[in-house]
């Protein structure tokens, strides 16, 4: 731990760096509708703007997702949380943590309170956002 008490983040492996660079280029060439990657110099932490879809409770609202990629991405799942203020939604806790769990669909990534039991390395950041399109 660092002197500030926060755990130090390990740097990305070469495989993780190459994969994220490729995914970022793909995102920039074909961005998912309703989502905008805020450009930073930190490949390990993406900030994504989520724009509420027209005709929904979240229309004209903008929220921010923080996606933290672990050292061994894609073999380990990223952590995805909403930054404050998080939207009011039954699957989003007040601290921004997300619970996307559909027990009837075994192909859905389970992301509940930091657990990712159904995560597979072929899921890309843009694929994860499909879950938010359904909710927003």
């Amino acid at each position: 731990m660092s002197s500030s008490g926060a755990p130090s983040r390990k740097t990305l492996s070469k495989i993780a760096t190459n994969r994220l660079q490729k995914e970022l280029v793909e995102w920039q060439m074909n961005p998912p509708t309703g989502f905008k990657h805020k450009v930073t110099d930190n490949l390990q932490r993406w900030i994504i703007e989520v724009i509420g879809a027209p005709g929904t409770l979240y229309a004209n609202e903008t929220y921010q997702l923080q996606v933290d990629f672990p050292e061994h991405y894609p073999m380990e799942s990223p952590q995805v949380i909403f930054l404050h203020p998080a939207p009011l939604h039954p699957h989003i806790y007040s601290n921004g943590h997300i619970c996307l769990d559909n027990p009837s669909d075994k192909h859905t990534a389970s992301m509940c309170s930091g657990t990712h039991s159904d995560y597979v390395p072929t899921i890309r950041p843009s694929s994860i956002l499909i879950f938010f399109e359904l909710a927003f």
Side-chain angles (χ1 to χ4, degrees), residues 17-61:
T17 299
N18 291 342
R19 169 87 178 249
L20 282 170
Q21 287 172 336
K22 179 181 176 185
E23 290 176 358
L24 186 55
V25 168
E26 289 173 3
W27 179 297
Q28 291 168 337
M29 292 177 60
N30 189 22
T33 304
F35 300 95
K36 180 181 177 186
H37 175 261
K38 293 179 77 176
V39 178
T40 68
D41 61 354
N42 187 348
L43 187 61
Q44 198 165 1
R45 173 173 285 169
W46 292 14
I47 303 298
I48 309 292
E49 283 190 355
V50 181
I51 302 160
T56 69
L57 177 65
Y58 306 99
N60 301 318
E61 297 288 336

Side-chain angles (χ1 to χ4, degrees), residues 3-102:
S3 59
S4 67
S8 60
R9 188 180 326 171
K10 294 184 178 183
T11 58
L12 293 170
S13 68
K14 182 157 180 63
I15 291 170
T17 299
N18 291 342
R19 169 87 178 249
L20 282 170
Q21 287 172 336
K22 179 181 176 185
E23 290 176 358
L24 186 55
V25 168
E26 289 173 3
W27 179 297
Q28 291 168 337
M29 292 177 60
N30 189 22
T33 304
F35 300 95
K36 180 181 177 186
H37 175 261
K38 293 179 77 176
V39 178
T40 68
D41 61 354
N42 187 348
L43 187 61
Q44 198 165 1
R45 173 173 285 169
W46 292 14
I47 303 298
I48 309 292
E49 283 190 355
V50 181
I51 302 160
T56 69
L57 177 65
Y58 306 99
N60 301 318
E61 297 288 336
T62 301
Y63 299 97
Q64 291 188 343
L65 281 172
Q66 177 178 293
V67 183
D68 287 318
F69 296 95
E71 174 187 15
H72 296 292
Y73 177 80
M75 300 313 291
E76 297 173 2
S77 64
Q79 180 186 31
V80 183
I81 63 168
F82 275 97
L83 298 177
H84 186 74
L88 294 176
H89 189 278
H91 294 285
I92 302 170
Y93 299 108
S94 60
N95 64 0
H97 287 256
I98 303 156
C99 181
L100 292 177
D101 194 9
N102 184 352

Side-chain angles (χ1 to χ4, degrees), residues 100-102 108-112 115-119:
L100 292 177
D101 194 9
N102 184 352
T108 300
S110 175
M111 294 188 282
C112 220
T115 63
H116 307 280
S117 60
D118 293 337
Y119 175 80

Side-chain angles (χ1 to χ4, degrees), residues 115-132:
T115 63
H116 307 280
S117 60
D118 293 337
Y119 175 80
V120 292
T122 56
I123 294 177
R124 297 177 178 274
S126 57
S127 300
I128 293 169
L129 298 178
I130 291 170
F131 299 112
F132 297 103

